[in-house]
Amino acid sequence: MILAIKKYISRLPEKIWFRAMLFSLAAIAAATAAEWIGPLIPYESDMELASGSVGDILTILASSMLAVIAFSVSIMVSAYGSATSTATPRTIALMLADDRSQNALSTFLGTFLFSIVGIIGLSAGYYDDRGRIILFFATIAVIVLITGTLINWIQQLSTFGRMNDLIERVERATAKALRWHGQHPFLNAQPPVDIPSEAVAVRCDIASGVVTSIDLELLDETAEKHGLTVYLAIHPGKLIYPARPLLYLSGKAATECDPQPFRDAILIEHDRSFDQDPRFGLVVLSEIASRALSPAVNDPGTAISVLESGLRCFEVFAQACADPEDPRYSRVHGPEIEIADFFTDFFTKIARDGAGMVEVHQRIQLCLLALAQSWPDIFAVPAAEASRNALARAIEVIVHQPDIKDLKARSQKVVDSRKN
């Protein structure tokens, strides 16, 4: 429960309603504060406002913001639908968490509420002369803010939800997760070791789901408290069911201690997330390429763009692996994610769905060669295996012999890089 609450709080800034609520509260506070800020001004202003001038401006703002909000929401819903149909539904979470769209919608809603509260205050005689002057200047400041937001929002609308935008969003999320995993191998815990035969298995006590987060600090503290050693059997992204062990406990008190605190350190949800799951981003990228390679779309160019994005993600991971941080948790042995799984998640679907497109397979072999030659210690073995698998799929479909010969030569370079 504690981990679920922490996760929920950490995700609040990604929620549209949360940011809109903050903007709205700030706008209401600004509108209502004008009356009690007025007496704090140490001098009398010579400025005179025409009767109803502030009210007219606020009325224009309220009516225009209502139209802008409706238009913005319709654009965002249309972009979400387009992303679902042209890319993959898994990209919607990244679009919902977009800062610029959230700031724009929140600013529009906050301006609308500021205007409404100001109009109500003026109609009720809430403001004196100083209060109206302060409200006037606050309105000018809001107009400047909304102008900048509109310009930024209009610029974003040209790319929001487009294919390149979606690929870039997934690439950033994937690279972030891969970088963290490369810097913190085994989830910042100790390397995996053979699990003692007397270790006690701790299994899931709820329905099946997907591991989205593991609180290593809580696991380490709980193990320290009971004098135990924890051996994690899963990592974020794994499918969990009641019969599958989450972890193993080793120590004198392993059979006596309550396993629930250890279960509470592992958050199980219905859907995977990008946060701690480096494989999920690679899966989503490959899904975008698979959709583009379907007969209904037939867009090998998008698949090639995805391959280049994946190559950059693998490069980020390799660079992070070159300078890993020391393990932080001494009583927890983390899980190991095989590098070959990364290649399977990313390259297999693209090679399968683009089996008949020579340009796609040429780019697959080129990306594999780049990884194998640049970081042979990390990628040479899985790249060679992925290259052979991709070549086998291509040979089954492509009939033009010069194309087959070219792909065989490219694949041989990848395999030879393993021997060098």
Side-chain angles (χ1 to χ4, degrees), residues 59-119:
T59 301
I60 294 172
L61 274 180
S63 58
S64 59
M65 285 302 101
L66 190 59
V68 170
I69 290 172
F71 170 75
S72 299
V73 171
S74 65
I75 289 294
M76 293 171 67
V77 172
S78 176
Y80 299 153
S82 175
T84 300
S85 60
T86 60
T88 170
R90 261 62 65 187
T91 60
I92 301 301
L94 296 176
M95 297 181 67
L96 289 172
D98 179 68
D99 286 337
R100 291 194 296 176
S101 61
Q102 288 191 11
N103 286 337
L105 193 60
S106 301
T107 304
F108 299 152
L109 181 59
T111 302
F112 173 74
L113 291 177
F114 171 83
S115 304
I116 292 298
V117 173
I119 292 172

Side-chain angles (χ1 to χ4, degrees), residues 5 52 73 139 174 199 204 218 232 247 294 307 365 369 373 386 390 407:
I5 293 174
V73 171
T139 303
T174 306
C204 177
L218 180 58
L232 275 172
L247 50 88
S294 65
L307 285 167
Q365 297 295 344
L369 180 63
Q373 289 184 341
L407 292 177

Side-chain angles (χ1 to χ4, degrees), residues 336-354:
E336 182 176 10
I337 302 180
E338 297 290 342
I339 304 299
D341 293 337
F342 291 158
F343 282 73
T344 300
D345 292 333
F346 183 68
F347 288 104
T348 299
K349 296 187 188 71
I350 303 176
R352 178 198 64 199
D353 296 327

